[in-house]
């Protein structure tokens, strides 16, 4: 099935201005600009959790000033995952040494953030032998409810959809799906669904994602 991933190209959107800025920052640091690969990803055995069928989630990123992102961070923390909170300025994570650690040992990371943070983290991951294996776009529909467009392993999409139908609050649902990222390669699936959550007035579109290492040549 063709991906239904949509990113606005509306030049009046302030998010585009920030995205252009981050593209400049990526170019300055010399990071590769290739696209994400979803199908055929084999993941390193060193990243696997106690359950061999799943990857261990090493870290999560959230923006606590955004309610859904804060809920994502709280659920990830409840599951024992190290959570890095930031206010939208992703450059703070450099000062905290997060990316130095990432360069030393590629890790499985997840987040529910605005587009600029997702964009930059995806590019940093690409430059260090990692790929996005799950991503979602969460934005209001015409009625003010939240529309979700997801791409990734079918099992993760099913977990998210089932969890969302049982409770309100998609942020925590994203964290629970991320915690079940398969440890083996899986073809990409897509789904689009709506939730009963109401989008906050003036709220920014959010993006969920899981970034994981590619397999080594001997894996």
């Amino acid at each position: 099935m063709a991906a239904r991933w949509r990113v606005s190209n509306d030049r009046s959107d302030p998010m585009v201005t920030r995205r252009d800025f981050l593209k400049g920052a990526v170019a300055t640091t010399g990071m590769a600009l290739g696209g994400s690969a979803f199908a055929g990803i084999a993941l390193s055995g060193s990243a696997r959790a106690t359950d061999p069928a799943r990857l261990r989630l090493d870290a999560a990123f959230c923006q606590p000033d955004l309610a859904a992102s804060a809920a994502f961070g709280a659920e990830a923390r409840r599951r024992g995952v190290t959570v890095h909170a930031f206010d939208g300025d992703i450059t703070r994570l450099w000062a905290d040494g997060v990316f130095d650690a990432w360069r030393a040992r590629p890790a499985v990371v997840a987040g529910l953030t605005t587009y600029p943070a997702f964009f930059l983290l995806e590019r940093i991951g690409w430059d260090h032998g990692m790929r996005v294996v799950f991503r979602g776009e969460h934005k209001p529909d015409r009625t003010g409810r939240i529309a979700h467009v997801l791409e990734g392993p079918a099992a993760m999409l099913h977990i998210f959809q089932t969890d969302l139908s049982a409770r309100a609050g998609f942020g925590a649902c994203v964290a629970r799906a991320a915690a079940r990222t398969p440890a083996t390669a899986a073809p990409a699936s897509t789904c689009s669904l709506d939730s009963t959550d109401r989008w906050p007035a003036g709220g920014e579109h959010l993006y969920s994602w899981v970034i994981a290492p590619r397999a080594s040549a001997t894996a």
Side-chain angles (χ1 to χ4, degrees), residues 3-69:
R4 285 179 281 177
W5 181 248
R6 300 185 297 275
V7 176
S8 171
N9 290 317
D10 180 1
R11 293 292 179 179
S12 66
D13 186 344
M15 187 163 58
V16 174
T17 300
R18 285 179 295 166
R19 181 171 58 192
D20 290 342
F21 170 80
L22 288 174
K23 284 182 178 179
V26 169
T28 300
T29 58
M31 297 174 188
L33 292 175
S36 299
F38 288 88
I41 298 172
L43 298 170
S44 170
S46 63
R48 293 178 184 176
T50 303
D51 181 349
R54 300 174 185 171
L55 293 178
R56 182 187 70 249
L57 189 59
D58 294 298
F61 295 83
C62 73
Q63 296 175 232
D65 56 321
L66 305 172
S69 185

Side-chain angles (χ1 to χ4, degrees), residues 110-196:
L112 180 61
T113 65
T114 52
Y115 183 84
F118 165 58
F119 174 85
L120 190 54
L121 287 164
E122 178 187 26
R123 298 320 182 209
I124 293 170
W126 181 275
D127 199 44
H128 292 87
M130 305 173 74
R131 295 292 183 271
V132 173
V133 296
F134 167 88
R135 64 180 175 183
E137 181 181 8
H138 313 273
K139 63 181 184 179
D141 64 15
R142 292 180 179 179
T143 69
R145 295 191 304 176
I146 301 178
H148 308 276
V149 182
L150 310 175
E151 183 174 7
M156 294 179 70
L157 305 190
H158 178 71
I159 289 167
F160 178 86
Q161 185 171 9
T162 301
D163 207 15
L164 191 67
S165 67
R167 71 194 78 217
F170 74 91
C173 297
V174 169
R176 285 187 281 269
R180 294 171 174 81
T181 303
T184 56
S189 298
T190 62
C191 74
S192 299
L193 60 150
D194 296 328
S195 68
T196 57

Side-chain angles (χ1 to χ4, degrees), residues 61 90 93 97-110 117-118 120-126 128-131 209 211-213:
F61 295 83
I90 198 73
L93 297 176
V98 172
F99 296 128
D100 288 336
W102 197 351
R103 280 191 287 268
R105 186 186 71 82
V108 182
V109 297
F118 165 58
L120 190 54
L121 287 164
E122 178 187 26
R123 298 320 182 209
I124 293 170
W126 181 275
H128 292 87
M130 305 173 74
R131 295 292 183 271
W209 42 270
I211 301 174

